[in-house]
Amino acid sequence: MVYKAENGGIFLEWIEVSGGRPLNGVLKVQGSKNAALPILAGSLLHKGRTILHHCPRIQDVDSMVAILRDLGCEVTWEADSLTIDAGNLCSFYVPHQWGEKMRSSVILLGSLLGRLGKANLPYPGGCTIGERPIDIHLAALGEMGVRITSKEHRFEAAAEELTGKRLRLRFPSVGATENVILAAVLAKGRTILENGAREPEIEELLRFLKGKGARIEEKEGVYVIDGVEELSDSEFCLVSDRIVAGTYLFAAAATRGAICLEDAPVRHMTAVLDALRRMGAVIRIGGGTILMDGRKAGMPIPYLKTEPYPGFPTDLQSPLLAALAVAEGESCVEETIFEARFHVVRHLNRMGADIRVDGNRASLKGVGKIHGTYVKAEELRGGAALLVAALAAEGTTLLEEPGYIRRGYEDIFADFRRLGASIRHHQYGG
């Protein structure tokens, strides 16, 4: 059977979900995407080998690996371990195709400047969730002696010598914090970065860099980096992915299921677990295991807003909306990080949800039940939210463009099947 898309074209790839089944079972959480990408960029700072364990096999990591190879690195996989040898790094030019595919390519800026003194990158693409400007990155690096020149859709950064400075970010941008830290590791003198982001991914980057010999101290968003001459070979095990864990928990809540997550990053999930408890979920924690009974997780959340860590993460705002859509009562979610995070709402409303968006706020009237229909993933986390909604919906949902979801989830479709979901993959001509 061939299905017609919203614009009259033919689906090239889609997922067919028969919803209405409570999720039940046990899953192990994959390695963190948001930690892996800056750490892969950081491997360029060392003229030698880096081994990363528990590295997720996802599209964004595959794209970053392809970039590293284009730049002259040798990269090999063995199970979930990735070995990078950056001894022959010979290029500072990142091809346009990779910038279009993933915004995270911009995180190579700091490490290329630190290692080669130059970086030529495309302006970043990736998800359609807002403008996501990089001016905070460029302004901070400019204070360290970096000159920026722009041409069409690319920019080049160069510095005769990176010099440590006292800097203050006007907003605690995760990417800008990572880029400054990466640039400062091999810079001359001391860099003091104030109002830096405090997300767990930053903590992981610091742990990785210290393991290679970097000199970094952090206290409450202030980072002190003393430049060193060189780094050393190292091995590193990535933390589990808090966004993946949260997605699975909201899916279980939306379907009124009960699941157990192993190797969950519990310490980094306080705001997410608090939101689930407000919805009526019963949660028990033991070590790195989360047991959640979501059979009564149908309560609304009158008000919640996304915030920088340790607040509720913007990357889980869309899956939260999907779960609240099938709650009973009125909820309100305010988005404070990305101005266009609500693209998913029109698709949720097609499924019978009652969500109104006014500026950066979404007001929901829980409808208890939604129905399957055709929907289309337009970005990573919104696509995951539509999958959550499809699992909770009555009837069949056809989800087009599932490739967006693979950017951040190792095998989310197989994982949900393990929990009892009915999901079938289709590809036109395949």
Side-chain angles (χ1 to χ4, degrees):
M1 183 179 295
V2 176
Y3 294 97
K4 295 289 185 178
E6 188 176 34
N7 62 4
I10 296 174
F11 286 16
L12 296 179
E13 183 186 14
W14 68 99
I15 298 297
E16 181 181 344
V17 183
S18 297
R21 305 181 183 189
L23 299 179
N24 289 278
V26 180
L27 289 178
K28 183 171 288 189
V29 183
Q30 70 184 57
S32 171
K33 163 189 178 286
N34 289 340
L37 297 176
I39 286 172
L40 283 169
S43 70
L44 297 180
L45 291 170
H46 171 51
K47 301 175 183 179
R49 287 162 56 91
T50 299
I51 301 176
L52 298 182
H53 301 293
H54 197 214
C55 193
R57 299 291 296 261
I58 56 177
Q59 285 188 1
D60 271 12
V61 168
D62 287 340
S63 295
M64 184 63 85
V65 166
I67 294 172
L68 296 185
R69 287 173 174 155
D70 280 347
L71 297 175
C73 301
E74 294 182 14
V75 188
T76 57
W77 281 100
E78 184 175 346
D80 69 350
S81 295
L82 196 58
T83 300
I84 307 103
D85 188 335
N88 294 320
L89 179 70
C90 59
S91 175
F92 56 83
Y93 184 92
V94 176
H96 186 73
Q97 68 188 86
W98 301 119
E100 284 186 330
K101 287 185 177 180
M102 55 179 295
R103 174 179 172 80
S104 299
S105 60
V106 76
I107 207 62
L108 291 158
L109 176 58
S111 52
L112 284 171
L113 284 166
R115 174 76 183 274
L116 301 177
K118 281 188 177 182
N120 189 306
L121 295 124
Y123 280 103
C127 287
T128 56
I129 58 172
E131 295 183 4
R132 306 178 77 170
I134 62 169
D135 57 316
I136 298 177
H137 305 233
L138 302 183
L141 291 170
E143 293 189 49
M144 297 177 67
V146 178
R147 302 181 309 280
I148 308 293
T149 55
S150 298
K151 186 177 181 181
E152 296 181 353
H153 303 296
R154 302 188 64 85
F155 69 96
E156 183 165 301
E160 292 181 7
E161 183 177 65
L162 284 170
T163 305
K165 296 285 185 181
R166 179 181 286 273
L167 311 170
R168 183 176 179 83
L169 301 182
R170 71 169 188 271
F171 176 83
S173 159
V174 174
T177 301
E178 291 167 342
N179 261 326
V180 170
I181 291 171
L182 290 168
V185 165
L186 299 179
K188 183 178 180 180
R190 170 172 286 186
T191 299
I192 300 175
L193 176 64
E194 299 175 345
N195 198 34
R198 299 171 62 186
E199 268 68 6
E201 296 77 32
I202 305 289
E203 180 183 319
E204 288 296 286
L205 179 61
L206 298 188
R207 191 164 66 89
F208 165 76
L209 291 170
K210 287 181 183 180
K212 298 189 82 64
R215 297 173 59 193
I216 308 172
E217 298 296 332
E218 185 272 338
K219 185 177 181 180
E220 298 181 353
V222 177
Y223 299 88
V224 179
I225 308 105
D226 289 307
V228 297
E229 292 292 327
E230 59 182 10
L231 301 177
S232 58
D233 290 357
S234 65
E235 293 192 35
F236 185 84
C237 186
L238 285 163
V239 71
S240 295
D241 196 307
R242 64 193 176 106
I243 306 303
V244 170
T247 301
Y248 292 169
L249 292 171
F250 282 120
T255 63
R256 307 297 187 264
I259 65 171
C260 173
L261 295 183
E262 297 177 340
D263 289 344
V266 175
R267 185 167 62 89
H268 299 150
M269 297 185 66
T270 301
V272 173
L273 297 178
D274 285 349
L276 286 158
R277 290 189 179 101
R278 291 174 70 185
M279 294 179 66
V282 177
I283 297 171
R284 288 187 295 161
I285 296 170
T289 298
I290 299 174
L291 290 167
M292 192 194 83
D293 184 343
R295 288 176 293 177
K296 296 182 179 180
M299 296 171 60
I301 298 179
Y303 177 73
L304 181 147
K305 68 177 178 179
T306 63
E307 296 178 288
Y309 185 82
F312 189 89
T314 181
D315 281 353
L316 283 173
Q317 182 250 92
S318 297
L320 171 66
L321 287 184
L324 290 175
V326 292
E328 301 286 349
E330 297 186 3
S331 301
C332 178
V333 177
E334 181 178 357
E335 173 59 50
T336 69
I337 309 297
F338 295 125
E339 73 279 1
R341 261 298 187 198
F342 293 130
H343 281 179
V344 70
V345 166
R346 70 183 184 95
H347 292 287
L348 292 173
N349 284 343
R350 286 174 64 118
M351 301 177 75
D354 186 352
I355 308 173
R356 292 172 290 116
V357 175
D358 182 11
N360 66 338
R361 290 195 178 198
S363 300
L364 303 90
K365 291 183 179 180
V367 294
K369 294 181 179 180
I370 55 177
H371 56 80
T373 185
Y374 155 75
V375 291
K376 181 178 180 179
E378 296 180 341
E379 41 93 7
L380 167 56
R381 306 304 177 184
L386 292 175
L387 182 55
V388 170
L391 293 168
E394 294 184 338
T396 300
T397 299
L398 304 178
L399 172 57
E400 190 188 3
E401 298 287 0
Y404 274 112
I405 303 173
R406 295 193 193 96
R407 286 189 49 218
Y409 299 84
E410 205 161 40
D411 200 349
I412 192 172
F413 308 118
D415 281 346
F416 281 138
R417 288 191 198 101
R418 292 185 191 101
L419 298 178
S422 175
I423 301 176
R424 291 196 295 167
H425 174 260
H426 300 273
Q427 196 160 0
Y428 181 61

